Amino acid sequence: GAVVSQHPSWVICKSGTSVKIECRSLDFQATTMFWYRQFPKQSLMLMATSNEGSKATYEQGVEKDKFLINHASLTLSTLTVTSAHPEDSSFYICSASERRGGRQETQYFGPGTRLLVL
Amino acid sequence: AQTVTQSQPEMSVQEAETVTLSCTYDTSESDYYLFWYKQPPSRQMILVIRQEAYKQQNATENRFSVNFQKAAKSFSLKISDSQLGDAAMYFCACQTLNDYKLSFGAGTTVTVRA
């Protein structure tokens, strides 16, 4: 149980284009999903928190117009990198958790998406 | 806000031996969870172990166990009978129950020698 998928796993795009990354909880309903960014050999940096049916909450320094997050259902959240530039190249990871008994349960992570912007 | 500190960038252990990874954290919350996640070269984050702060008993999962010292805000991970598959980067994380965000440490890279 507690499987989270991400698609695509790898994407290369030209500068100026937009890229959409999907995060799905396969065997549970994810009331909350989180999006992280990770540079090589560094820790995970939280970008935003996404609750189903409401607007995402972005961390300080993360441009909400640049990184559009949608959490339209209890099993799917999407991150769209708009007008991507080479500095957006990174490893993007999502996590998902469900609410049980009034508490948010453990975050389970997707396998990540490597984005390379040329 | 909480901070998590992992002071060991790298650790090396002989196969079948034991290694302990240190982690300290700081939070003003009274109720929180602590985690160890493993990230192998595939970069998939894998949950290793979870500890609820209100529980005094240390969590264990097979060869993985923690030493949770709440007063000292310390949460170390012990890997017993180390296996080659344990080689990975290990992250300590703290999650408070007001916003459920995870704060990660910088990570410790574990190398297992055959």
Side-chain angles (χ1 to χ4, degrees):
Chain A
V3 178
V4 178
S5 70
Q6 255 182 268
H7 178 80
S9 57
W10 225 143
V11 58
I12 302 173
C13 69
K14 292 182 179 178
S15 187
T17 60
S18 294
V19 174
K20 180 185 282 189
I21 302 170
E22 292 186 349
C23 178
R24 292 181 185 274
S25 57
L26 300 185
D27 52 3
F28 65 99
Q29 294 188 323
T31 47
T32 304
M33 289 183 169
F34 301 84
W35 287 95
Y36 297 85
R37 186 171 178 175
Q38 185 182 32
F39 292 105
K41 298 194 184 298
Q42 293 188 22
S43 191
L44 279 70
M45 181 188 78
L46 179 65
M47 298 175 66
T49 303
S50 167
N51 290 299
E52 186 266 338
S54 63
K55 289 185 179 180
T57 304
Y58 291 81
E59 295 300 300
Q60 192 171 7
V62 178
E63 299 175 58
K64 63 174 103 175
D65 295 330
K66 172 79 170 170
F67 300 100
L68 299 179
I69 292 171
N70 183 276
H71 191 165
S73 78
L74 284 172
T75 59
L76 173 64
S77 176
T78 59
L79 166 68
T80 301
V81 183
T82 61
S83 186
H85 288 97
E87 58 266 30
D88 299 323
S89 299
S90 190
F91 189 64
Y92 293 87
I93 311 175
C94 72
S95 71
S97 67
E98 63 178 333
R99 181 174 286 275
R100 284 191 208 163
R103 287 199 169 206
Q104 206 69 29
E105 290 294 310
T106 299
Q107 290 185 32
Y108 292 94
F109 287 81
T113 297
R114 298 171 197 263
L115 170 63
L116 177 61
V117 185
L118 301 176
Chain B
Q2 52 271 3
T3 58
V4 179
T5 302
Q6 292 179 251
S7 58
Q8 305 154 315
E10 297 179 354
M11 293 287 282
S12 181
V13 60
Q14 188 72 34
E15 198 174 5
E17 298 294 312
T18 296
V19 63
T20 299
L21 311 184
S22 65
C23 172
T24 58
Y25 62 93
D26 191 20
T27 178
S28 56
E29 301 294 323
S30 58
D31 199 6
Y32 50 90
Y33 296 158
L34 296 166
F35 300 86
W36 279 97
Y37 283 93
K38 166 186 176 181
Q39 188 179 43
S42 67
R43 301 187 80 174
Q44 168 76 62
M45 293 286 284
I46 301 166
L47 175 66
V48 175
I49 203 162
R50 161 178 148 156
Q51 174 84 43
E52 288 93 341
Y54 65 87
K55 290 186 178 179
Q56 291 188 341
Q57 187 173 5
N58 289 325
T60 63
E61 282 291 340
N62 301 313
R63 298 182 294 107
F64 299 88
S65 61
V66 297
N67 183 1
F68 174 44
Q69 301 290 326
K70 191 172 183 178
K73 293 184 177 175
S74 169
F75 183 62
S76 62
L77 174 71
K78 185 170 80 172
I79 307 174
S80 303
D81 186 25
S82 296
Q83 300 176 359
L84 296 177
D86 295 333
M89 195 154 186
Y90 286 79
F91 292 99
C92 178
C94 178
Q95 180 184 49
T96 56
L97 303 187
N98 53 358
D99 58 14
Y100 299 102
K101 295 179 184 178
L102 277 172
S103 295
F104 286 93
T108 298
T109 299
V110 172
T111 304
V112 181
R113 305 186 305 274

